[in-house]
Every structure is written in C-alpha cells, then in structure tokens.
Amino acid sequence: WFEFEQVPQIEKGKDFYRISNHNGKIKIEGTSGVAIASGLNYYYKYYCNVNITEVANQIKMPEKLIPVENTIQKESPYKVRYAFNYCTLSYTFPYYDLEDWQHELDWLALNGVNLVLDTTGQEAVWIEFLRSIGYSTDDAKAWLTGPAYTAWQFMSNMENYGGPIHDQYVLDRLALARKNQRLMRTLGMDVVLQGYAGMIPSDYNT
C-alpha cells in the first residue's frame, strides 16, 4: 500500500512529511525516519481509523486502500521533540525488554519524537567508573540502587537502596542499551545519555 522516501529539508532544521497518491499506492516522503513515521501515523488516523497508543491499539485496516484527496504536507516548527525523564525510565521502564522498547520507540516515531533520554545500561558504566577509583565490583554493585530507584540515584539523591543488583541484570541492561540505541538511530532519533553530575559514594575516601 505504501511507498516511502527520505527527502532533504527545504528549510534547515525543519522536518516535514508529504503524503500523496502515486501509482496506486500512498507515497509518504519525509526528511527523516521519524518524519516518515509521522506521516504514516497521520494517514493511519485520518484515513484508516487506526490508532496506535502506548497501552492499546485499534489496528484493523480497511479492506481497500483509501486515496488522499490532495497532497498533504505538514511541517514541524520544532527542531527538537523530546521524550522521557528519569522518573519515567525508573518507575515505568525498569523491567522493559526489547519488545517493550520496540513498541515504545515505534510509538514515539509515529508521534514525531526525535530525541530520547535513555539510561538503560548505566549500571555497567557506574561499575566501571567505581572500579577505576578503587572499588571492587561487588562494592560498586552494592552502591547502586535497585531497578525501581535508579531515578533517584541518577539525580544524586540516593545510594545503596534496593540492591545489590545481579550480574546478569547488569549484562542484560547493557546489551539492551546497545539494541535500543541502534533502533533509535535507525529511526532517525538522537539519544540523550546520562552525564556525570559529580556524585560519588558517601563512603569514598580520598
């Protein structure tokens, strides 16, 4: 039913999509994967009565392709369309697997989001950092909070609570982070990664 094509921006910094009829199909052009997905979502909603959300979907497609009346072009006035904060990632996503993340990222792309905060895999980064300043692996894992409390730790408010975390959890989260970020890049999203805010364990002794 569809043809997709990535096209250059007409005006620097402004994404757009264009929907038209072409050779018996719906052609969707866009300046990025996210822009193309946004155009697809527009067609889904307003021509197919298909609605994809974070928690429920109505995905029964019409039996026949529905042509658009005229070429549709929509432009975003915003260069950056951002998603998530620490609390969302900690309270809602701590046990998300790849399938959960894929659904979430697809939904974000369909709704035009192009910049995503992702703290998945940060446990491995912290363990490596603490090891570099003299902590053992076990002591580093004990300093980290459990999965449901990472928002507080990454905002420098908490330590040593709900842990220690398991080795396999650390490895699984690291592998998931790499897969997530490949998916985001494929869709044309940029990733916001955790920076170093200056916190160290309270038992650190120089």
Side-chain angles (χ1 to χ4, degrees):
W1 283 18
F2 300 100
E3 291 181 6
F4 303 105
E5 182 180 349
Q6 187 168 341
V7 296
Q9 291 176 336
I10 297 173
E11 185 176 346
K12 187 175 181 181
K14 290 193 175 181
D15 282 333
F16 74 89
Y17 61 79
R18 184 185 299 122
I19 308 171
S20 60
N21 304 311
H22 186 255
N23 293 333
K25 295 185 177 183
I26 298 297
K27 184 173 184 178
I28 303 177
E29 302 166 276
T31 47
S32 65
V34 167
I36 291 170
S38 300
L40 178 64
N41 197 36
Y42 183 96
Y43 182 79
Y44 278 162
K45 282 184 178 181
Y46 299 108
Y47 286 85
C48 303
N49 292 321
V50 164
N51 189 30
I52 297 171
T53 77
E54 285 184 289
V55 295
N57 302 318
Q58 194 304 98
I59 54 175
K60 184 179 179 181
M61 294 286 284
E63 293 183 3
K64 296 181 180 180
L65 181 141
I66 303 172
V68 296
E69 296 89 352
N70 300 292
T71 297
I72 299 163
Q73 182 166 316
K74 302 240 177 230
E75 177 184 284
S76 173
Y78 306 108
K79 183 176 181 180
V80 175
R81 286 95 62 190
Y82 176 79
F84 299 148
N85 57 38
Y86 291 107
C87 294
T88 301
L89 297 174
S90 181
Y91 300 166
T92 308
F93 296 172
Y95 302 109
Y96 264 29
D97 60 16
L98 185 62
E99 183 179 353
D100 295 321
W101 266 103
Q102 172 110 44
H103 182 276
E104 187 70 20
L105 293 174
D106 286 347
W107 178 78
L108 292 176
L110 288 168
N111 288 279
V113 172
N114 64 359
L115 185 64
V116 180
L117 174 67
D118 187 9
T119 57
T120 311
Q122 284 298 307
E123 299 84 3
V125 176
W126 269 105
I127 290 168
E128 185 66 22
F129 168 69
L130 293 175
R131 281 168 50 86
S132 75
I133 60 173
Y135 282 77
S136 69
T137 300
D138 286 342
D139 286 343
K141 288 191 299 177
W143 177 74
L144 290 164
T145 62
Y149 304 97
T150 54
W152 298 102
Q153 182 149 50
F154 293 157
M155 292 187 289
S156 310
N157 298 325
M158 184 181 288
E159 62 180 5
N160 307 98
Y161 192 84
I165 55 176
H166 194 278
D167 288 345
Q168 194 60 51
Y169 178 79
V170 175
L171 294 172
D172 288 347
R173 294 275 290 177
L174 185 59
L176 179 60
R178 290 170 174 152
K179 292 173 182 176
N180 281 353
Q181 289 169 33
R182 288 191 193 104
L183 285 171
M184 291 183 212
R185 298 294 186 190
T186 299
L187 290 165
M189 295 173 172
D190 288 320
V191 186
V192 178
L193 299 176
Q194 167 78 24
Y196 179 57
M199 68 273 207
I200 55 174
S202 57
D203 63 359
Y204 179 70
N205 187 350
T206 57

